[in-house]
Amino acid sequence: MTNEPVIALRGVTAELGARPVLRGIDLTVGRGEVVALLGANGSGKSTAIRAVIGQVPVSGGTVELFGTPRRSFRDWARVGYVPQRTTAAGGVPATVTEIVSAGRLSRTRFGLFRRSDREAVRRALELVGMADRAKDSVDALSGGQHQRVLIARALVAEPELLIMDEPMAGVDLASQEILARTLEQQVEAGATVLLVLHELGPLEPLIDRAVVLRDGCVLHDGPPPRAVGQHALPGHDHVHPHAPAGAEPIRTGLLS
Amino acid sequence: MYFLNYAFMQRALLAAVLVGITAPAIGIYLVQRRQALMGDGIGHVAMTGVGLGFLLSTSPVWMATAVSVLGAVLMELIRWYGRTRGDIALAMLFYGGMAGGVMLINLAPGGSNANLMSYLFGSLSTVSGSDVTAICVLAAFVLLVTLGLRRQLFAVSQDEEFARVTGLPVRTLNLLTAVTAAVTVTVAMRVVGLLLVSALMVVPVAAAQQLSRSFTVTFVIAVAIGVAVTVSGTITSYYQDVPPGATIVLLTIAAFLALTALATPLARRRARAAAAAQPAGDPAECAIPAARGTGEEVGV
Ligand SMILES: Nc1ncnc2c1ncn2[C@@H]1O[C@H](COP(=O)(O)OP(=O)(O)OP(=O)(O)O)[C@@H](O)[C@H]1O
Ligand SMILES: [Mg+2]
C-alpha cells in the first residue's frame, strides 16, 4: 500500500481547558506530499499538529500515522518533530551537539552512540549551516540559530515524515533559503512534510497543498494561496486587487 | 592523616565520597528540568520514614528509603494529574511528611527529637557499618541510573514533548528520576542531613555552570565539586567539632561564590581569544563605511 496517507485526521475534535480548540478537522497528508498548515494566531494549528503526535488528547475522531491508529503507533524513528518555540533552554547549559544528539536516540539501542550516529549529528548540523557552532552552548545562540538547531535535531534521525511548527519563525531570509534547500533534498529523497507557516516565503515552490484553519475548522484545503507568499509582510493589507481573475479570494486571516 | 585510623572516620569518609558523587549526579537533571527544590520536598517526606524506623525499631535508612520513594512517586503523580492545584497538594505532602516524622519519633520508645536531629542535619560519628552497606548499595543504583541512562534523562529533562516524539518512555523515565532522587536523599541523609540534602544536589551544579558550556562538562565539574566539599567538610568537622552537614553546605556555597568570581574574567579572556582568532580584515569592531560620510553630515 504505497498510496495510504502518512497522516490521516478524520473529524478530530479537541478541547484545551474545556474550550473547544479543534472542531472536527479532516486532514490527510499523502506520501511524499508537502502540506502547509496556515491560519491566524490561535486558530488551532499547533493544537492540530500536537494532536497528530499525541501531545493533545483527542476527544473525537481518529488520528492515524502511517496507517496505524496513533495510540498503537510505536515507530517514532520515522517521525521528525520541530516544536513551536519561544524559549527552549533547560536549567543547565547544553551544547548544540548535545541537543541535536537527543534527536538521534530513536535510532540507537539503549542510547548507545556509535560512530555512524556521531556522523549523522555532524551531517545534520551541516545541513542547517550550524556545524561551526557545534561546541557552543545553545544559550549563546540567537533565536534564528536556535531554530536551526531544532530543525537539525528533527533531521538527525533521518525521518520519513517531518512535522514542523513554524520552523522559519525568526530565521533570516538567507537561512530560510538554506533551510528550503535542505527541505527540498529531504523531499526529493522521499520525505513527507507537514509544516505550520505564517508566510510561504522561500518554501513556496515546495508546497503541494495548503490547509487553512480558522477557529478550529478547516477553511480551505487545496493549492497554496500564491499571493500570500509575496505579500504577507507585516502590515501588508490582505486585500489583493490584482489577484488572478476567477480565483476565489482566500481569506486566510493570516494578518487579521 | 591519622584520623583514617578510626573506623568511624573511614565509614564517614566513604559515605561522604558517595554522597559527593551521587547528589550532584541526580541533581543536575532536577536543575535541568527546573525542579531544583524537589530534593528538599523528598527530604521532608523522608522524615516520616525515619520516624517509622524508630517506632518499628528497624533501620531508619531503609525505612526512609521506602517512604521517600513512595513520596517521590506520589509527587510525580501529582505533577501529572494535579495541574492547577498541584502545588497545594505538594505542600501538604511535604509538611505532612515532616510533621509525621516528628510525631512518630516522639511515639517511639526511647525516641527523642535528639535522635531526629542527627538525621535532619547529619552526624558522622553515628554512621554504622550497616548504614554504610545500605549507602553503598543505594549509591550504586543512583550511579547506574544517572550514568547509564544519561542520554535518555538528558533528552527528557531538556524537552519532554520532543522526547515523547522520539519514542522515549517519558513517564517511566520521569518516575525513575523521582525515585533516584529519593534514593539519593537517603544516601545523603546520614552525612548532610535531610534538611540540607537539596543544597548538595543543586549548588554544585550551579557552581559548575559558571565554568562550562556543555552538559557533560557541567556534570563532571559538579561531581568533582561535590566530592571535594563532602570530603573536606567531613575532615573539617572531625578537627573542629562542627556539624558536618552545615560545614559541607557552607563550603559548597563558598565554592559557588569563588567560581562565580572566577568565571567573569575567564569569560572575558575567552571573548578576547575569540576576537584574536578572527581572520585579519574581519575587524572585531564595527566600522562605518567611509562612503556614508561622517556623522555630522548624516545628523543634519
Ligand atoms: N494549554 C492551553 N490551555 C487552554 N487553551 C489553550 C492552551 N493552548 C492553547 N490554547 C488555546 O487554543 C487555541 C489554539 O491554540 P494554538 O496554539 O493551536 O494556535 P496556533 O494556531 O498554533 O497559534 P499561533 O499562530 O499563535 O502559534 C488558542 O485560542 C489558545 O488560546
Ligand atoms: Mg502555534
Side-chain angles (χ1 to χ4, degrees):
Chain A
M1 283 287 279
T2 47
N3 273 345
E4 106 198 331
V6 172
I7 298 176
L9 302 189
R10 291 189 200 93
V12 167
T13 58
E15 284 86 40
L16 289 172
R19 194 197 126 109
V21 175
L22 300 182
R23 301 187 292 170
I25 285 198
D26 294 311
L27 170 66
T28 53
V29 181
R31 195 172 293 276
E33 243 189 325
V34 181
V35 174
L37 199 53
L38 309 172
N41 289 140
S43 57
K45 305 180 299 292
S46 297
T47 310
I49 280 211
R50 297 178 75 234
V52 172
I53 55 169
Q55 292 300 295
V56 166
V58 164
S59 56
T62 58
V63 180
E64 287 183 3
L65 278 169
F66 294 100
T68 310
R70 210 228 70 234
R71 285 198 165 280
S72 36
F73 182 78
R74 290 287 172 275
D75 215 356
W76 290 108
R78 299 168 81 178
V79 182
Y81 174 54
V82 181
Q84 181 175 19
R85 265 293 131 43
T86 39
T87 53
V92 176
T95 63
V96 169
T97 301
E98 285 172 331
I99 296 287
V100 174
S101 298
R104 187 72 189 176
L105 275 178
S106 56
R107 290 270 177 207
T108 65
R109 284 172 69 89
F110 310 116
L112 291 176
F113 268 49
R114 288 191 237 143
R115 180 185 292 171
S116 59
D117 298 312
R118 289 193 194 88
E119 274 291 298
V121 169
R122 200 185 47 74
R123 246 179 297 122
L125 282 173
E126 270 166 12
L127 280 177
V128 299
M130 291 294 292
D132 55 329
R133 306 296 296 268
K135 290 203 169 74
D136 285 0
S137 164
V138 281
D139 299 335
L141 300 181
S142 73
Q145 290 168 335
H146 196 267
Q147 194 66 31
R148 285 151 68 184
V149 170
L150 295 189
I151 294 173
R153 183 178 68 170
L155 293 177
V156 71
E158 298 155 45
E160 295 165 50
L161 167 63
L162 275 167
I163 298 178
M164 311 204 270
D165 198 345
E166 298 192 25
M168 298 304 197
V171 178
D172 64 31
L173 205 59
S175 309
Q176 284 194 30
E177 269 152 16
I178 297 176
L179 292 176
R181 225 167 304 134
T182 309
L183 216 56
E184 197 178 351
Q185 288 162 14
Q186 302 287 319
V187 172
E188 272 164 14
T192 307
V193 183
L194 172 64
L195 76 179
V196 173
L197 290 175
H198 275 291
E199 43 189 272
L200 303 184
L203 290 179
E204 191 175 349
L206 280 178
I207 311 252
D208 299 315
R209 194 151 58 84
V211 174
V212 182
L213 297 187
R214 189 171 67 192
D215 288 339
C217 296
V218 175
L219 189 68
H220 166 90
D221 186 345
R226 295 270 158 214
V228 170
Q230 278 104 48
H231 298 297
L233 296 166
H236 185 86
D237 188 19
H238 202 66
V239 181
H240 293 283
H242 52 278
E248 179 199 14
I250 297 155
R251 294 186 185 284
T252 61
L254 285 178
L255 301 163
S256 52
Chain B
M1 301 275 269
Y2 65 88
F3 56 79
L4 278 177
N5 295 338
Y6 296 105
F8 86 90
M9 264 314 268
Q10 290 168 4
R11 288 197 295 267
L13 278 172
L14 178 60
V17 168
L18 291 177
V19 171
I21 296 171
T22 51
I26 185 65
I28 192 167
Y29 299 106
L30 299 182
V31 173
Q32 195 189 8
R33 52 174 65 209
R34 301 189 188 282
Q35 295 176 351
L37 291 180
M38 186 176 181
D40 199 46
I42 298 174
H44 284 56
V45 175
M47 284 171 68
T48 292
V50 174
L52 265 180
F54 275 107
L55 189 64
L56 306 174
S57 32
T58 53
S59 153
V61 173
W62 288 114
M63 242 352 189
T65 308
V67 170
S68 55
V69 164
L70 218 71
V73 170
L74 217 67
M75 280 166 72
E76 260 315 294
L77 292 178
I78 289 172
R79 213 164 68 82
W80 289 345
Y81 299 112
R83 305 243 182 260
T84 43
R85 315 298 306 190
D87 54 339
I88 309 245
L90 286 180
M92 288 202 276
L93 184 65
F94 294 175
Y95 302 116
M98 188 148 84
V102 174
M103 189 58 83
L104 287 172
I105 214 155
N106 268 293
L107 295 177
S112 73
N113 284 335
N115 290 337
L116 192 55
M117 282 298 276
S118 79
Y119 287 88
L120 290 187
F121 298 106
S123 158
L124 293 173
S125 54
T126 57
V127 177
S128 67
S130 66
D131 284 345
V132 169
T133 315
I135 288 175
C136 284
V137 172
L138 295 173
F141 167 77
V142 173
L143 282 180
L144 205 70
V145 171
T146 53
L147 289 177
L149 295 175
R150 64 185 183 286
R151 284 188 188 277
Q152 287 89 338
L153 293 180
F154 171 84
V156 169
S157 310
Q158 184 73 26
D159 189 339
E160 211 174 281
E161 181 169 309
F162 181 82
R164 230 174 253 134
V165 182
T166 52
L168 286 175
V170 170
R171 287 193 166 188
T172 310
L173 288 168
N174 281 344
L175 267 181
L176 192 63
T177 308
V179 167
T180 310
V183 169
T184 311
V185 165
T186 46
V187 169
M189 171 173 78
R190 303 304 325 233
V191 178
V192 282
L194 289 172
L195 291 186
L196 295 173
V197 163
S198 192
L200 210 52
M201 291 184 171
V202 173
V203 183
V205 177
Q209 285 185 26
Q210 307 295 321
L211 297 183
S212 103
R213 287 175 293 182
S214 88
F215 186 86
T216 313
V217 175
T218 307
F219 190 107
V220 171
I221 299 179
V223 167
I225 294 173
V227 173
V229 294
T230 48
V231 168
S232 55
T234 303
I235 295 171
T236 308
S237 86
Y238 169 81
Y239 280 113
Q240 301 297 326
D241 195 26
V242 283
T247 314
I248 289 169
V249 170
L250 288 176
L251 278 173
T252 319
I253 290 172
F256 171 79
L257 293 177
L259 288 181
T260 308
L262 214 96
T264 317
L266 201 76
R268 216 173 286 149
R269 178 135 36 100
R270 256 190 211 146
R272 226 179 296 136
Q278 287 215 339
D282 189 4
E285 270 141 43
C286 296
I288 301 168
R292 289 177 94 192
T294 62
E296 289 101 80
E297 281 167 6
V298 176
V300 182

